[in-house]
Amino acid sequence: MAGTKIRIRRELLEYLLELAKEFYPNEFAGFLREKDGVFEEVLIAPAGHFGRTSAFFNTWMLPLDESIKGTVHSHPDSVVFPSPADRWFFSKFGGFHLILGYPFGLDDFAAYDSDGNPVEVEVIP
């Protein structure tokens, strides 16, 4: 997937980073909605369990929503690389995946494709 890039609204990215700060020291997880090729909204994982080292949720509780094209979750440490469990989830869910790392600043995140390969992120107004 060379040259793959995702686009995300700055307002959404800032909101996601704030959510990560609020959930800290626990992880949080959500699903990203895309409109016209841009991630614009987050749906927080319903009935989720957000712990210090993992987040669990039931994907059966998600609405049938074809605009969900990605996921986001936080790592309460500064590591923004996917764990083996993250890579397994990425391969099952598909789409694009953001990982937000402590201290959750505008440079403390990375994006990956469903194979766990890094992808470029374009933050747009």
Side-chain angles (χ1 to χ4, degrees):
M1 293 189 104
T4 302
K5 180 191 323 188
I6 65 167
R7 300 172 74 211
I8 186 170
R9 294 261 179 237
R10 182 180 180 95
E11 181 179 14
L12 174 59
L13 179 59
E14 290 172 348
Y15 178 66
L16 294 171
L17 292 165
E18 285 301 315
L19 280 174
K21 289 176 188 175
E22 288 179 27
F23 276 84
Y24 182 83
N26 294 329
E27 288 193 13
F28 93 95
F31 297 86
L32 298 173
R33 286 185 169 139
E34 183 182 71
K35 182 178 179 185
D36 299 325
V38 179
F39 287 112
E40 295 196 353
E41 293 181 337
V42 63
L43 176 66
I44 301 301
H49 166 76
F50 306 109
R52 290 182 186 254
T53 59
S54 61
F56 297 97
F57 45 85
N58 186 343
T59 56
W60 288 101
M61 295 185 73
L62 285 173
L64 221 56
D65 185 342
E66 292 185 16
S67 69
I68 295 175
K69 303 289 184 187
T71 68
V72 59
H73 75 279
S74 63
H75 282 179
D77 56 23
S78 59
V79 177
V80 294
F81 299 105
S83 68
D86 292 337
R87 287 179 180 274
W88 179 87
F89 176 74
F90 294 174
S91 73
K92 301 302 178 205
F93 194 79
F96 294 100
H97 310 276
L98 284 177
I99 298 177
L100 312 174
Y102 182 84
F104 311 115
L106 282 174
D107 294 321
D108 301 319
F109 68 92
Y112 300 90
D113 65 17
S114 60
D115 294 322
N117 299 311
V119 297
E120 184 181 345
V121 178
E122 179 182 0
V123 180
I124 59 173

